[in-house]
Amino acid sequence: MKKIISFILALSMLFVLAVPAFAADYKDTAKHWAEKAIDEWSGYGIVKGEPDSNFYPDRQMTRAEAGQIMVRLLKLTEKADISKLTDVKPTDWYADAVAKCVAAGILKGVSETEMDPNGTLTREMFFVMFARALGIKEEDKLTVGTTDMTTCSPWAAGYVNALLNHGYIHGMDVSGDKLVVGPTLNINRSSAVGLLDQTITTYAYEDGATIKPEGKGIILVVADNVTLTDVPAGTTVVTGDTKDVTVNGEAID
C-alpha cells in the first residue's frame, strides 16, 4: 500500500452520494446517541455486531477490534511479518488485521514481542491509530481549550492536538467553554464509530462512482476511477492505494 496523502483543494467545480448499501438492525442500539453512525458504518461493512444481533455500543474496544476497523476502512492488503509477536497466533481471528495494520504503520506493539490484541484501548491510542490511518500530521500547538489535555501521553499529544484543532474530536463533555477530552480513559465501540462519522463525511468505496461530498469533513477514497464533483475549497481528500481519482475535473496522481 502506498502512503496515504492528503490533498488540499484550491477551487471547486452530479452526482451519486456515497451511501451504505444497507442499514443495520441491532437489538441494542435503538435511541442510542450513536445509533445513526453505527447504522451507517455497519452499512459500509466497516463495523459489525455480534452473532446475537447486538452491537454492544458501550462495550470497551480492544486493540484487535480497532485494527480490524482500520483494515476494512482502508481496504488494506499488504501484510507485515509478525512472527515475532508471541501473543498473536496465525490462527487467531485478528492475526490478518494485525499484520496489515503493522505494515501500514497504524498499529504498534506494546513491546518488541507483544501486541496485546485483546487489551482495551484508551481514547488517545485510538486517536493516534485513526490519525495515522488518514495521514493526519502531528501538531505541536493546541488551539482549542480543554480541561485535561495535560494528562495526554507525550507520544500521542501531537496527533490528538491535530484532531482537536480541526474539530474532529468533540470531546466527552464540555466544562465551561472547554472540552473534556478524556485521553487516558478507555474508548468504547460507539465512541470509535462516532469519530469515524464526524471526521469522514464522504466515503468513496465503490469503483467508478461519481460523488458529490456530503459535508465539510474529510473525503476518504478507497476505490478506483472515482470522480468527485462540487468539492468545496479547502476540503481534504485522502486517497490510499487507488487509481484514477478526479476532483473537480482535475486528476490526482
Side-chain angles (χ1 to χ4, degrees):
M1 173 184 163
K2 70 181 181 181
K3 183 178 180 181
I4 298 172
I5 303 172
S6 295
F7 297 88
I8 305 299
L9 307 178
L11 298 171
S12 71
M13 215 173 121
L14 267 136
F15 43 83
V16 176
L17 294 178
V19 296
F22 62 94
D25 186 19
Y26 299 118
K27 295 189 296 184
D28 61 349
T29 57
K31 297 183 180 180
H32 192 279
W33 69 265
E35 179 183 6
K36 181 178 180 295
I38 291 169
D39 282 349
E40 180 171 354
W41 290 95
S42 293
Y44 290 132
I46 307 306
V47 297
K48 298 182 179 181
E50 299 295 342
D52 62 2
S53 298
N54 287 306
F55 185 78
Y56 297 102
D58 299 318
R59 188 176 73 190
Q60 293 179 350
M61 177 164 283
T62 67
R63 289 164 58 82
E65 287 174 334
Q68 186 67 272
I69 286 176
M70 300 306 168
V71 168
R72 293 174 183 148
L73 181 69
L74 299 174
K75 296 186 176 181
L76 299 178
T77 57
E78 184 180 340
K79 298 181 185 181
D81 179 3
I82 58 171
S83 58
K84 66 180 181 180
L85 296 177
T86 60
D87 57 356
V88 181
K89 299 181 179 66
T91 54
D92 290 332
W93 69 264
Y94 45 74
D96 183 77
V98 170
K100 290 175 179 177
C101 281
V102 170
I106 296 170
L107 189 59
K108 299 182 185 297
V110 297
S111 73
E112 288 294 321
T113 58
E114 293 180 307
M115 182 56 68
D116 190 23
N118 295 309
T120 54
L121 199 70
T122 62
R123 289 168 58 82
E124 66 183 10
M125 288 176 182
F126 187 77
F127 295 158
V128 170
M129 289 180 65
F130 184 70
R132 288 173 178 162
L134 293 187
I136 295 172
K137 304 300 182 184
E138 297 178 81
E139 296 183 10
D140 294 333
K141 295 183 179 180
L142 185 60
T143 59
V144 300
T146 67
T147 64
D148 55 358
M149 272 298 286
T150 55
T151 68
C152 187
S153 301
W155 55 265
Y159 290 113
V160 181
N161 286 347
L163 292 171
L164 284 165
N165 290 344
H166 292 279
Y168 299 142
I169 298 175
H170 296 164
M172 301 175 62
D173 200 353
V174 178
S175 178
D177 59 350
K178 295 183 178 181
L179 297 177
V180 181
V181 180
T184 60
L185 299 178
N186 288 335
I187 195 166
N188 59 29
R189 290 161 59 84
S190 58
S191 293
V193 179
L195 178 59
L196 297 183
D197 198 58
Q198 64 199 31
T199 304
I200 305 168
T201 52
T202 301
Y203 184 48
Y205 63 100
E206 291 185 332
D207 291 345
T210 298
I211 299 170
K212 180 179 178 179
E214 299 178 359
K216 297 181 180 180
I218 288 175
I219 300 172
L220 176 59
V221 182
V222 294
D224 294 333
N225 194 28
V226 170
T227 300
L228 300 171
T229 68
D230 296 338
V231 179
T235 301
T236 298
V237 180
V238 180
T239 65
D241 204 8
T242 56
K243 301 175 183 178
D244 301 323
V245 178
T246 302
V247 181
N248 294 344
E250 182 178 348
I252 293 178
D253 296 329

